[in-house]
Amino acid sequence: MFPTLRALFRLRRPRWDWVQVEVTTRCDAACVYCPRTACGGGWRDADMPMALFRRVLSACRGARRLHLQGWGEPLLHPRYPDMLAEAVAAGYVVGLTTNGVHLDADMAGVLVAAGVDMVALSLAGIGARNDAVRRGAPTARVLDALDALREAKARAGSLLPRVHLAYMLLRQDADGPEALPALLRGRGVETVVVSTLDHVSTPELADAAYAHADADELAALGRRLEMACTVAGAEGIRMVWRLPRPAHPSAHPSAHPSVHVATRPDGRHRHTVSPPDHSFTSDFSRRPDHPFTPGHEPPELWDVPGDMLHALAAREGDASCTENVGRAAVITVDGMVAPCVFAALPLCGGRPREGSRAVAAGRMLFGSVEDSPLAEVWRRPAYAAFRAAHARGMPPPPCEGCIKLRVH
């Protein structure tokens, strides 16, 4: 083999953009769109033991960033301040997302003193609209938390943590994005990340998602966001968002090219056509023994030489999934490794699906950091084949129908 090819296929220690660590699955809010709420009594509440967390810190060498939050409210973990301090001391850049309910002046001081890099707080509307869908996490409490962070940073003379707002834009939200700049003025928010509902866990939520919006509705929404972005920029707030590609009436909506309206630096629009998505069409929800389930050999790529398989799986620019499954991972509260948070749902399980089909049951896990470093789990054939399929733009059956494949 030529030297350049040998270099290409030589195994290297993986480098991840980030690893998301689920420190707890408990939460004292009841957001209507959260799968935890939909699962009701079937949800499994658990806290990650400190011994396992320390194993995670050791197992994730190669990752620069750790996001210490999963399907739960991280500030509920009784040892969370210790987790933050130990993760930062281990050399990681640490971030978290919180509903803000427990982010008072004392906790804000803890976050600043620990050297946390980024804190994101969540809203899904403003005022009564947010309070109706994020039950137990009212807008007023989020604003208080933002003020507590701003004041704690000022007392410490610190620029960290950077403060973000994660804004869930529901279809019924008539004017939320436009009102955000005024609401956040002077509260220290650097970035607003706007997302749309991509996990429709109950039929009642279908109308709240933009997953089935047509091109005209999405274009109008894009114009609204562009205007809100301009206003936010005048307040020193950066606003970013991703929208799903337009839904199509055919039985296979991803089989058609889609138009993406992007803004050029001069403020004009350019239109780019995305290629059709040739995803597999098998229904994983009816195939619990699918080869991508742990313990089975992956299809198609099982006989590819190991070095070549890992080189293919390591290709950058994974454009098929916004969860960055080619360069990131999720570690569950019990130490299992999943490609994304939707594949790591406790007990109820499943990933977001198109149409009215039920959410598929079961988790997609590739190993445990209790037994092996993340790098070793990452290189296992089933996981490597999963990433290789995404890198080729051919997402495997477990991901079929996931709305994340249509977000751009």
Side-chain angles (χ1 to χ4, degrees), residues 95-389:
L96 63 111
T97 302
T98 172
N99 62 26
V101 173
H102 300 278
L103 210 172
D104 56 14
D106 290 341
M107 180 55 70
V110 167
L111 299 178
V112 173
V116 171
D117 177 69
M118 188 277 295
V119 175
L121 288 101
S122 302
L123 280 178
I126 293 174
R129 184 175 295 278
N130 171 84
D131 300 352
V133 296
R134 292 183 57 82
R135 299 192 296 258
T139 301
R141 190 66 198 89
V142 173
L143 298 180
D144 288 345
L146 290 173
D147 291 339
L149 277 172
R150 176 178 50 80
E151 292 164 5
K153 290 167 63 176
R155 285 194 302 270
S158 176
L159 296 177
L160 297 178
R162 297 175 295 115
V163 179
H164 291 190
L165 184 80
Y167 190 86
M168 174 66 73
L169 178 58
L170 303 178
R171 231 166 156 182
Q172 297 85 348
D173 190 355
D175 55 6
E178 293 86 345
L180 277 174
L183 181 74
L184 301 178
R185 182 181 297 127
R187 287 196 155 97
V189 174
E190 295 183 13
T191 303
V192 174
V193 180
V194 180
S195 60
T196 59
L197 185 62
D198 48 27
H199 191 290
V200 182
S201 52
T202 64
E204 293 78 15
L205 290 173
D207 289 340
Y210 282 95
H212 307 293
D214 60 24
D216 290 341
E217 183 178 358
L218 288 169
L221 176 59
R223 289 190 293 270
R224 286 178 55 199
L225 291 172
E226 290 279 5
M227 289 187 290
C229 181
T230 300
V231 177
E235 299 287 349
I237 301 171
R238 176 173 173 255
M239 183 178 287
V240 297
W241 64 88
R242 281 178 164 174
L243 299 178
R245 290 190 292 267
H248 296 280
S250 77
H252 301 286
S254 60
H256 304 277
S258 62
V259 178
H260 176 197
V261 181
T263 302
R264 301 186 341 185
D266 60 7
R268 297 168 59 193
H269 295 303
R270 69 174 184 272
H271 296 72
T272 58
V273 179
S274 302
D277 178 9
H278 300 291
S279 302
F280 295 129
T281 57
S282 302
D283 189 347
F284 180 63
S285 65
R286 293 196 296 267
R287 299 180 60 191
D289 60 341
H290 187 274
F292 272 102
T293 303
H296 294 75
E297 291 293 329
E300 295 190 42
L301 298 175
W302 67 270
D303 56 351
V304 173
D307 286 359
M308 187 177 296
L309 176 61
H310 291 296
L312 179 59
R315 282 173 47 188
E316 297 186 13
D318 172 24
S320 67
C321 178
T322 57
E323 290 296 291
N324 196 25
V325 295
R327 293 186 59 84
V330 173
I331 298 178
T332 69
V333 72
D334 48 3
M336 301 301 291
V337 179
C340 74
V341 293
F342 298 111
L345 278 165
L347 191 61
C348 289
R351 286 157 295 286
R353 314 297 288 186
E354 294 278 14
S356 59
R357 286 183 294 166
V359 175
R363 305 164 89 191
M364 186 162 51
L365 308 171
F366 292 105
S368 171
V369 295
E370 286 197 286
D371 306 323
S372 308
L374 179 57
E376 182 178 317
V377 176
W378 188 260
R379 292 190 178 108
R380 289 177 182 170
Y383 202 172
F386 171 86
R387 298 192 311 276

Side-chain angles (χ1 to χ4, degrees), residues 57-103:
L57 295 182
S58 175
C60 290
R61 295 298 181 189
R64 181 167 180 263
R65 295 182 176 273
L66 291 186
H67 195 78
L68 302 186
Q69 175 261 340
W71 291 110
E73 169 50 46
L75 300 187
L76 287 176
H77 196 293
R79 300 287 303 275
Y80 198 63
D82 298 327
M83 289 178 160
L84 295 172
E86 292 190 25
V88 173
Y92 293 104
V93 177
V94 176
L96 63 111
T97 302
T98 172
N99 62 26
V101 173
H102 300 278
L103 210 172

